[in-house]
Amino acid sequence: MTYALVTGASKGIGKAIAFSLAKKKFNILLVARSEDLLKVIAADIKKEFTVAVDYLVVDLSVSTAASQVFEWCNKNNYQVNALINNAGYGLSGTFEKYDAAAYLNMMQLNMGTLISMTHIFLPMLKKQSSYILNIASTAAYQSVPGLGVYAATKSFVLSFSRSLNIELKNTSVSVTCVSPGGTNTDFGIRADISGKATSMAQKVNMIAEDVAEKAVRAMLNKRTEVIIGTINKIGAFAAWLAPKKLAEYGAAKIYLSNK
């Protein structure tokens, strides 16, 4: 029996992806650190879609997380044929707002765990027709003063995903990187985003379920890179087309403003 494994599955886009995959009759493995939420989600998915579901409680920001997840799958004979690297968070404000340890923790989750999960599961994925879905962000397409380290982690995810997709071209594994823009999740609260950025986001935020449906469709269609949302596609193109400093000063006015 094969499973789709979703990290950061307790809420937001990760939770919505789990439901979207279950609707398509994937068996589901949920991984996050909130046991109460995972227990409810697992029960809801099992009841609504009659697929096999299990969950693992683990802090994905620790360096040993991927090994813990892989050992759990081996112990239970869970064969993964879709790896969804969704877990991640941001930190907003000036660079000096947080200490180095806070940034390194975010970098471990956004990049290190994604790399470790991909590396440790890849031999299993290559045994069958499989998918890797990495969740980046529209922040991957430019430097973002006020979200500088976060944006850099998502640029890393995008670049790595494209490279790996080429490397795996002649295998049974496809790699898709999806970049959502602002979405109606707890991201802004965790990132401590306020002021102008919050008010602007409320006008254009996407719904997590819509993002998930588009992300899963892109994965199943084996697309390499997808920006979700017309406004976000235009924004990414504009950031590429405009002088870098213009785009960066525009971002700074949004994310470094408290008004």
Side-chain angles (χ1 to χ4, degrees):
M1 186 180 293
T2 57
Y3 291 79
L5 190 155
V6 185
T7 67
S10 61
K11 59 181 68 174
I13 293 173
K15 174 184 174 181
I17 287 175
F19 274 87
S20 178
L21 287 166
K23 186 166 65 175
K24 298 182 185 304
K25 296 306 177 183
F26 279 83
N27 299 306
I28 304 295
L29 300 176
L30 308 165
V31 181
R33 62 181 182 178
S34 305
E35 183 169 12
D36 291 345
L37 295 176
L38 290 177
K39 187 181 296 186
V40 172
I41 293 166
D44 288 347
I45 289 176
K46 191 177 296 186
K47 180 179 179 181
E48 184 172 354
F49 301 108
T50 61
V51 297
V53 187
D54 202 355
Y55 66 87
L56 177 67
V57 179
V58 62
D59 182 354
L60 288 161
S61 70
V62 301
S63 60
T64 58
S67 295
Q68 294 177 54
V69 177
F70 188 73
E71 289 170 9
W72 172 67
C73 288
N74 273 342
K75 180 181 177 181
N76 292 283
N77 196 29
Y78 294 150
Q79 294 296 308
V80 174
N81 71 334
L83 175 63
I84 291 80
N85 289 309
N86 164 76
Y89 69 94
L91 294 171
S92 70
T94 63
F95 178 63
E96 294 175 295
K97 179 178 177 180
Y98 303 94
D99 61 22
Y103 287 119
L104 291 171
N105 182 265
M106 179 180 67
M107 292 166 68
Q108 173 60 42
L109 180 58
N110 293 7
M111 299 186 296
T113 297
L114 181 147
I115 291 296
S116 297
M117 289 287 291
T118 303
H119 194 273
I120 202 167
F121 276 98
L122 190 54
M124 181 188 293
L125 293 168
K126 291 172 76 172
K127 293 178 181 179
Q128 62 224 313
S129 179
S130 300
Y131 308 92
I132 296 173
L133 172 60
N134 294 330
I135 305 301
S137 165
T138 51
Y141 292 89
Q142 68 171 93
S143 59
V144 184
L147 277 173
V149 180
Y150 170 76
T153 67
K154 292 306 183 178
S155 292
F156 173 93
V157 171
L158 175 59
S159 179
F160 165 69
S161 300
R162 290 189 61 87
S163 297
L164 185 63
N165 188 58
I166 294 295
E167 292 183 25
L168 298 177
K169 183 177 180 181
N170 296 319
T171 73
S172 60
V173 184
S174 65
V175 182
T176 298
C177 186
V178 166
S179 293
T183 307
N184 189 19
T185 68
D186 290 341
F187 174 85
I189 297 172
R190 178 66 178 85
D192 194 25
I193 295 175
S194 59
K196 185 181 292 186
T198 300
S199 60
M200 290 183 65
Q202 291 172 348
K203 300 175 182 177
V204 297
N205 265 358
M206 295 180 290
I207 299 171
E209 288 74 15
D210 290 343
V211 172
E213 286 292 327
K214 290 179 172 62
V216 169
R217 188 182 311 129
M219 180 191 81
L220 295 178
N221 288 333
K222 300 182 178 182
R223 296 185 62 185
T224 304
E225 177 183 351
V226 175
I227 299 172
I228 297 180
T230 302
I231 292 175
N232 296 318
K233 291 175 183 176
I234 294 171
F237 179 72
W240 172 78
L241 190 64
K244 285 186 172 60
K245 288 213 173 195
L246 182 62
E248 290 160 2
Y249 278 118
K253 288 181 180 179
I254 296 171
Y255 290 103
L256 294 177
S257 171
N258 293 317
K259 298 180 181 180

